[in-house]
Amino acid sequence: MNTVALPVKQSQTLLAIFVGGLVAGTFDLTLAYIIFGVRMPQGIASGLIGRSAAFQGGVPTYILGIIIHYFIACSAAAVYYAASRKLEFLKEHPYVCGMYYGIAVFLVMNLIVVPLSAIHGHGPYTWNGLVQGLLAHMILIGLPIALSARAFSGKAR
């Protein structure tokens, strides 16, 4: 049996990104199922291939939506992890920094990614939707990503 040995630092990096993205993505996906229903992954896929193609695509576009969702979550984790290599305070204060990172992810998704996607989504935003979205991103996305980056950096307490 052949095994591939990754250098410890590289394997820690991949673990931090994968675990942070997987946990944040799963929390977010669960909440999205509760709020938007079971066809929500097709709604995500519609950002790439358009609304009618996504909702008429059946199981393949459902799976595509889930893949896109986890790709975005792991990308967010990779950005935080990369920044935490240069900015020590991101590892030293994961609770505060993670919450602020969740806000940043929310803003990037809602003000840049979704408007530039195939669905061209934009406001108006309701007060309840804004507060709910911010809190969800702070707690369910930012915190797991920041805590994962800290845990795999050797700074965990």
Side-chain angles (χ1 to χ4, degrees), residues 38-61:
V38 295
R39 295 193 71 191
M40 175 271 314
Q42 290 168 303
I44 295 170
S46 71
L48 182 64
I49 62 175
R51 192 169 299 281
S52 64
F55 284 98
Q56 293 172 3
V59 173
T61 57

Side-chain angles (χ1 to χ4, degrees), residues 47-118:
L48 182 64
I49 62 175
R51 192 169 299 281
S52 64
F55 284 98
Q56 293 172 3
V59 173
T61 57
Y62 191 91
I63 293 168
L64 176 63
I66 292 173
I67 290 169
I68 292 168
H69 178 79
Y70 280 105
F71 174 78
I72 291 169
C74 287
S75 296
V79 168
Y80 189 93
Y81 186 85
S84 74
R85 301 305 91 192
K86 296 289 183 190
L87 304 171
E88 286 291 319
F89 68 88
L90 293 175
K91 292 180 285 193
E92 294 167 356
H93 306 287
Y95 294 99
V96 173
C97 293
M99 300 270 268
Y100 278 108
Y101 188 66
I103 293 170
V105 170
F106 176 83
L107 293 173
V108 167
M109 290 303 299
N110 285 281
L111 298 177
I112 299 171
V113 175
V114 174
L116 292 176
S117 73

